[in-house]
Amino acid sequence: MLRDITLGQYYQADSVIHRLDPRVKLGTTIIFIISLFVFHGVGGYVAAAVFLAMVIKLSKVPFHFMIKGMKSIVFLLSITVIFNLFLTPGQPIFRLWKLTVTQEGVRLAVLLSIRLGFLIIGSSVMTLTTTPNQLTDGLEKMLKPLNRLGVPVHEIAMMMSIALRFIPILMEETDKIMKAQLARCADFESGNLIRKAKSLVPLLVPLFISAFRRANDLAMAMEARCYRGGDHRTKMKPLHYERRDYIAYLIVLCYLVAGVVLGKLLPILLGSVVA
Amino acid sequence: MPIILDNVSHIYGEDTAMAVRALDKISLVIPDGQFIGLIGHTGSGKSTLVQHLNGLMKATSGAVYFNGEDIDSEGFDKKKLRSKVGLVFQYPEHQLFETDVFSDVCFGPKNLGLSKKEIELRAYAALKLVGMEDDYFYQSPFELSGGQKRRVAIAGVLAMKPEVLILDEPTAGLDPKGRDEILDQIAKLKRETGITVILVSHSMDDVAKYVDRIIVMNKGRVMYDDEPREVFRQYQELEAIGLAAPQVTYIMKELRDHGFDVSDDVTTIEEAKQEIIAYFKER
Amino acid sequence: MGIIKVRDLVYEYIRRDEEGNVEGITTAVDDVDLDIEQGDFVAILGHNGSGKSTLAKHLNAILYPAEGTVWVDGKDTNEEKYVWDIRQTAGMVFQNPDNQIIGQIVEEDVGFGPENMGVPTEEIWERVEESLKAVGMYSYRKFSPNKLSGGQKQRVSIAGVIAMHPKCIVLDEPTAMLDPKGRKEVIRAVRALNDVEKITVILITHYMEEVIYADKVYVMDQGKIALQGTPKEVFSQVEQLKELRLDVPQVTLLAYELEKEGFAMPKGVLTNREFVEALDQCTR
């Protein structure tokens, strides 16, 4: 169920990837995602696969954890694949009733599933190796220039970090409330859309009340611990780049070059082999 | 109607690296009309166990029979089971949602598809059973005290007219007076209706006074299943698993160690008092 | 002056109905005086709604007196310039462990207070280490709080307060949501802080077993202090405690019951050993 979502779940391990500056990981993830959409041809994807495999290996996070992140989007993935498979015009391969599968369709579907798969796994690697706090710290520091434009960067980062801390707690609570209402013979499944929506009231009311109470308690606890916004604050884990971070940036650059070059080169190489 | 557990096991996260065996081959018979204390520390499996009794959780292996029927068999009416085996969870905040107490108690019977009149009669009777005064009926349940919220939550389940009532930590977070009041109320309700009551708790002191059978859980297994005094006789073993016999048991034990010839087979203050008085009379 | 001094404290809040009209005024704390010396272990008892939590929140400048004055380490909580000093001097641990842990990892949570105070990075690490060691949670420093038991979470919360180097720590029903094992862990940690680190402890609770080691016990009812004294003095008043919706330890109760039956038992028996000795006296 909801718990299968790996995004935002940290996996404790001692690896180079874990130790990298969160800004490096954030930046790399963004670059990696963009690269997936920029690269064309098999070569680019080979580079991406090699790069991803290397990062996963270095991260010491068991591979099935990343796959778990995939489960939650399998549905989305299959819809996109099916749409692309059947609705792309081009050279027909075979017909199924009124639907035509085309060469272009197959190509697009394969490309898309690779892209989406890599995208999810790539971002899972980041969230599995970076504590949400590091992540928000990284974002806070990366976005700091926006402070001058009046964007409350620290506050946004703090809110994100608190939200992330409370998501698992509230999910567990949702589960408990659901069971408490099921024990009173509540029915969350049958009926039409309106009835279903109505049946959520006994679930949502206790959940909201609890969330507000928690927010209230938390605000008080933070004040009691002298929290007064971002000014005058020091950091327990301040961010500064170290050698490994520069090396990481270098590797990312290499990856980009390799991707582009392979993307251009591989078809030529293959072409010459065929010829 | 009796509940029978036959070799029930439950494994969380089966076929993952973090699989946890929460219940390990539990076999139990819960006959009609008993007052049972289910004791164990956090993580002993007691909460998992009770959720098997009303079909909220499904056994990984083994079977649960209600009135002779396997509750996981095809076509078994889970909804009906839940109305017959009423389960009240630890925090009333997890179930109260209506704008007033009375409507909230109506939620259970309403889900059973009863007539409006029947629903209201049942809600009224249930609120009376838990000792709620009429003045509170149209108040918001969120403004009640902790003890009253708990009463309303129990009424919300009683209104379905269950034959078995399971209460998960009904005294958590209450002050001593509130705790005594709710336990007395449950004992009274038990006497009046004669239904089976299962009291889940980690406090021996709480249940010793009321129940006629204690089931001690540890690491997903039933460690003891006997009358209270028989169970408390094992206080050293109980201590080893983070539980304790009632405090008076220890006082009597210490008296014995100091040469007083009193029985340490004592679980309540009243019994201890009588035992000591008798001892002094004899001499 | 002691670490905490309270004079004529009154706190009222206004009850409103759904439309926001004033329904009435509730006096949560009513004319309370309190003197707590540095290094004391003080317990405040009372049933739910007796005003004990409201009183506690005044000691940390979370609430401000409607009437009267609260001084923490000589500083008046009504003066705004002292607020942060006071919150640092008197740390506070709340009831629900989940709702006061801010960090995603144990050590990050413990560092939260010092971060807010502007402590230099290196010193934060030192403070986090010593605080976690003081509550016996150092080996869990890399854990997610969600993976800990209730008792462990509360010990982390206590460490988070100690890391701010307070002179005094106020615990507002820290054990109310815990099981017996967790309760023991937390009380043990609190007692160690008081014994070893000499931190003043103000423990608010309704569990009687937790207060028998206190230097002084206050019992609150309807916003007022109804009883005060050493645990022995307070627990010798069994009937009054019952009227105040409180328990006494079972051993105290048994001694009291026997005394009513004509046994020459002393008042306020607190431990099993005392009980056995007293009964031994009766024999002779």
Side-chain angles (χ1 to χ4, degrees):
Chain A
M1 238 181 34
L2 293 164
R3 285 198 195 136
D4 293 333
I5 300 171
T6 348
L7 241 66
Q9 292 288 357
Y10 178 66
Y11 181 90
Q12 169 75 39
D14 188 28
S15 79
V16 187
I17 306 287
H18 282 76
R19 280 193 298 268
L20 281 179
D21 190 290
R23 284 171 293 174
V24 175
K25 289 187 260 188
L26 266 167
T28 306
T29 311
I30 295 167
I31 292 171
F32 181 70
I33 290 173
I34 295 173
S35 76
L36 288 176
F37 289 90
V38 174
F39 286 173
H40 280 284
V42 188
Y45 291 106
V46 171
V50 171
F51 180 70
L52 196 56
M54 184 191 80
V55 173
I56 291 171
K57 184 79 191 145
L58 282 174
S59 75
K60 295 185 186 165
V61 179
F63 188 62
H64 66 257
F65 269 91
M66 327 240 163
I67 299 299
K68 251 174 51 190
M70 296 279 291
K71 272 188 199 161
S72 52
I73 61 138
V74 159
F75 181 67
L76 190 81
L77 197 66
S78 30
I79 286 187
T80 9
V81 167
I82 288 168
F83 265 83
N84 278 293
L85 201 57
F86 292 118
L87 299 179
T88 317
Q91 191 78 46
I93 304 176
F94 60 85
R95 286 175 74 93
L96 236 168
W97 184 51
K98 273 189 180 168
L99 298 166
T100 316
V101 177
T102 63
Q103 236 168 30
E104 284 78 1
V106 172
R107 192 184 125 83
L108 223 65
V110 170
L111 273 184
L112 226 99
S113 36
I114 291 177
R115 269 180 193 163
L116 281 176
F118 279 12
L119 190 148
I120 293 294
I121 295 176
S123 26
S124 292
V125 174
M126 178 185 69
T127 52
L128 282 163
T129 59
T130 319
T131 67
N133 251 18
Q134 288 171 345
L135 214 60
T136 42
D137 275 358
L139 266 179
E140 189 181 342
K141 199 144 183 185
M142 273 174 114
L143 299 179
K144 211 163 193 179
L146 291 180
N147 226 343
R148 278 198 220 121
L149 302 174
V151 180
V153 175
H154 167 77
E155 282 70 16
I156 293 172
M158 185 53 105
M159 267 156 54
M160 276 175 58
S161 139
I162 289 172
L164 284 169
R165 152 115 180 87
F166 277 87
I167 284 170
I169 293 176
L170 288 175
M171 277 194 189
E172 206 182 306
E173 187 136 287
T174 310
D175 206 45
K176 284 183 179 164
I177 295 170
M178 205 158 182
K179 279 183 171 166
Q181 304 299 25
L182 279 174
R184 292 207 284 170
C185 294
D187 191 345
F188 295 115
E189 269 141 31
S190 56
N192 56 25
L193 209 63
I194 295 169
R195 252 193 77 180
K196 262 189 189 162
K198 249 178 118 181
S199 75
L200 287 179
V201 172
L203 186 67
L204 293 178
V205 172
L207 189 64
F208 278 132
I209 288 175
S210 156
F212 279 120
R213 203 194 56 232
R214 283 180 192 282
N216 210 358
D217 283 5
L218 191 74
M220 198 171 14
M222 287 171 72
E223 267 189 37
R225 286 165 79 182
C226 293
Y227 179 72
R228 51 191 135 162
D231 309 335
H232 324 287
R233 259 188 125 231
T234 44
K235 292 257 176 201
M236 183 179 178
K237 297 176 177 172
L239 297 178
H240 34 74
Y241 285 128
E242 293 192 24
R243 233 184 79 191
R244 57 169 173 262
D245 298 311
Y246 294 118
I247 296 175
Y249 274 132
L250 211 68
I251 294 175
V252 174
L253 194 72
C254 290
Y255 155 67
L256 278 178
V257 172
V260 172
V261 171
L262 272 178
K264 292 250 184 291
L265 224 57
L266 210 62
I268 301 170
L269 278 175
L270 285 175
S272 63
V273 170
V274 172
Chain B
M1 291 177 208
I3 304 175
I4 297 169
L5 281 90
D6 181 26
N7 236 350
V8 170
S9 293
H10 189 96
I11 301 170
Y12 284 111
E14 208 189 4
D15 58 60
T16 69
M18 295 166 297
V20 178
R21 191 173 274 268
L23 293 180
D24 193 4
K25 295 182 187 127
I26 305 257
S27 293
L28 279 176
V29 178
I30 296 162
D32 286 346
Q34 266 190 346
F35 199 161
I36 299 172
L38 181 60
I39 314 271
H41 59 79
T42 314
S44 61
K46 57 188 195 309
S47 293
T48 310
L49 178 67
V50 292
Q51 291 180 42
H52 280 77
L53 302 182
N54 73 345
L56 274 180
M57 285 183 131
K58 197 173 172 300
T60 312
S61 66
V64 180
Y65 299 92
F66 179 70
N67 202 23
E69 268 184 275
D70 184 344
I71 65 165
D72 286 313
S73 60
E74 197 78 28
F76 185 88
D77 188 354
K78 283 259 168 79
K79 211 165 165 175
K80 198 173 161 207
L81 172 72
R82 285 175 196 152
S83 74
K84 293 290 168 202
V85 182
L87 173 55
V88 188
F89 281 95
Q90 185 171 3
Y91 293 107
E93 289 81 3
H94 284 161
Q95 72 173 67
L96 302 176
F97 74 99
E98 281 281 11
T99 46
D100 63 87
V101 167
F102 194 77
S103 329
D104 201 276
V105 176
C106 287
F107 181 68
K110 214 188 260 169
N111 288 330
L112 298 178
L114 303 167
S115 72
K116 190 163 187 274
K117 195 176 166 202
E118 175 70 13
I119 291 170
E120 284 175 0
L121 279 174
R122 281 185 173 203
Y124 185 81
L127 280 163
K128 286 287 134 185
L129 265 178
V130 296
M132 285 298 282
E133 300 295 333
D134 297 19
D135 303 349
Y136 291 113
F137 284 15
Y138 296 101
Q139 266 195 27
S140 160
F142 308 112
E143 282 161 15
L144 301 175
S145 74
Q148 287 164 335
K149 276 186 192 159
R150 208 138 307 200
R151 279 160 203 261
V152 175
I154 295 172
V157 169
L158 278 177
M160 299 186 300
K161 288 204 176 166
E163 286 159 22
V164 180
L165 179 66
I166 307 169
L167 301 141
D168 194 358
E169 304 273 359
T171 62
L174 297 182
D175 61 21
K177 187 82 181 296
R179 178 199 64 204
D180 290 347
E181 282 170 359
I182 203 90
L183 287 173
D184 285 341
Q185 191 75 49
I186 293 165
K188 183 162 169 261
L189 167 133
K190 164 85 185 84
R191 276 195 309 274
E192 282 170 8
T193 58
I195 60 175
T196 313
V197 176
I198 302 178
L199 207 55
V200 182
S201 176
H202 44 229
S203 163
M204 291 283 187
D205 284 306
D206 278 4
V207 300
K209 239 167 44 186
Y210 302 98
V211 301
D212 36 49
R213 173 181 172 191
I214 286 184
I215 300 171
V216 179
M217 299 268 306
N218 185 41
K219 289 184 184 159
R221 291 182 190 199
V222 173
M223 191 166 170
Y224 299 108
D225 179 1
D226 216 324
E227 285 176 38
R229 64 184 66 251
E230 292 299 321
V231 171
F232 294 144
R233 200 169 275 162
Q234 318 290 333
Y235 60 89
Q236 276 161 328
E237 283 80 1
L238 290 175
E239 218 149 79
I241 60 163
L243 295 171
Q247 232 194 320
V248 275
T249 312
Y250 293 94
I251 302 174
M252 300 310 269
K253 169 89 172 69
E254 205 150 325
L255 281 175
R256 275 186 72 88
D257 290 349
H258 276 76
F260 288 83
D261 186 24
V262 289
S263 153
D264 55 4
D265 225 12
V266 151
T267 54
T268 65
I269 300 254
E270 187 56 31
E271 285 171 357
K273 186 174 107 185
Q274 296 308 335
E275 181 70 27
I276 292 171
I277 291 173
Y279 168 74
F280 273 87
K281 258 190 197 144
E282 264 174 41
R283 288 174 354 116
Chain C
M1 195 194 292
I3 180 83
I4 283 172
K5 183 171 158 184
V6 177
R7 283 292 171 272
D8 314 315
L9 172 64
V10 175
Y11 184 81
E12 293 166 332
Y13 61 88
I14 299 165
R15 287 194 317 272
R16 290 175 193 276
D17 63 12
E18 277 159 31
E19 281 88 42
N21 303 316
V22 176
E23 272 190 329
I25 292 171
T26 303
T27 309
V29 176
D30 191 0
D31 204 12
V32 164
D33 291 340
L34 212 61
D35 287 285
I36 294 170
E37 294 299 323
Q38 175 68 44
D40 271 2
F41 185 148
V42 174
I44 302 179
L45 281 173
H47 59 82
N48 291 346
S50 62
K52 58 189 194 304
S53 288
T54 312
L55 174 62
K57 288 183 185 109
H58 281 86
L59 308 182
N60 185 267
I62 289 176
L63 294 176
Y64 306 101
E67 282 171 38
T69 317
V70 177
W71 291 273
V72 176
D73 204 18
K75 297 184 178 92
D76 184 344
T77 61
N78 262 328
E79 291 202 40
E80 225 183 302
K81 60 180 179 198
Y82 291 142
V83 168
W84 304 109
D85 280 347
I86 287 169
R87 288 189 182 158
Q88 188 193 323
T89 310
M92 184 123 184
V93 175
F94 298 89
Q95 183 182 60
N96 189 331
D98 279 328
N99 297 358
Q100 58 185 316
I101 295 183
I102 295 118
Q104 306 270 349
I105 293 190
V106 167
E107 62 180 14
E108 288 177 4
D109 183 69
V110 178
F112 181 74
E115 281 183 338
N116 293 334
M117 287 158 52
V119 175
T121 301
E122 240 164 77
E123 199 190 326
I124 296 181
W125 282 92
E126 285 165 20
R127 286 184 179 207
V128 167
E129 184 179 332
E130 65 184 33
S131 311
L132 281 171
K133 280 181 175 161
V135 297
M137 287 298 290
Y138 187 62
S139 51
Y140 293 91
R141 64 189 181 281
K142 300 283 180 196
F143 275 56
S144 152
N146 294 335
K147 298 259 185 294
L148 302 179
S149 74
Q152 289 172 330
K153 281 188 226 173
Q154 275 312 45
R155 278 150 67 200
V156 170
S157 303
I158 294 171
V161 170
I162 311 170
M164 296 167 68
H165 288 179
K167 289 186 179 164
C168 160
I169 162 166
V170 183
L171 301 112
D172 187 4
E173 299 197 42
T175 58
M177 300 181 79
L178 307 182
D179 65 2
K181 192 165 158 268
R183 280 208 307 256
K184 267 190 206 148
E185 281 170 30
V186 169
I187 294 302
R188 203 179 297 139
V190 170
R191 283 182 66 200
L193 286 183
N194 182 245
D195 283 350
V196 182
E197 317 272 335
K198 308 291 175 214
I199 297 176
T200 312
V201 168
I202 300 164
L203 174 68
I204 291 150
T205 182
H206 51 234
Y207 290 111
M208 308 302 126
E209 321 79 270
E210 292 172 2
V211 309
I212 59 177
Y213 305 103
D215 297 309
K216 188 155 187 194
V217 178
Y218 291 90
V219 181
M220 285 196 68
D221 183 51
Q222 294 183 342
K224 290 185 181 0
I225 289 179
L227 293 172
Q228 56 177 302
T230 61
K232 210 174 194 59
E233 287 163 4
V234 168
F235 284 128
S236 56
Q237 308 181 49
V238 175
E239 288 302 319
Q240 259 160 299
L241 284 171
K242 279 191 174 172
E243 265 170 44
L244 299 173
R245 296 177 59 101
L246 293 169
D247 261 356
V248 291
Q250 285 201 330
V251 59
T252 316
L253 194 61
L254 184 58
Y256 171 79
E257 291 286 328
L258 286 171
E259 197 221 331
K260 275 205 296 195
E261 297 290 331
F263 284 76
M265 294 297 276
K267 281 193 187 296
V269 173
L270 290 178
T271 64
N272 291 2
R273 174 176 295 179
E274 270 178 69
F275 179 88
V276 172
E277 276 164 13
L279 206 63
D280 215 28
Q281 292 294 316
C282 296
T283 350
R284 300 206 186 102

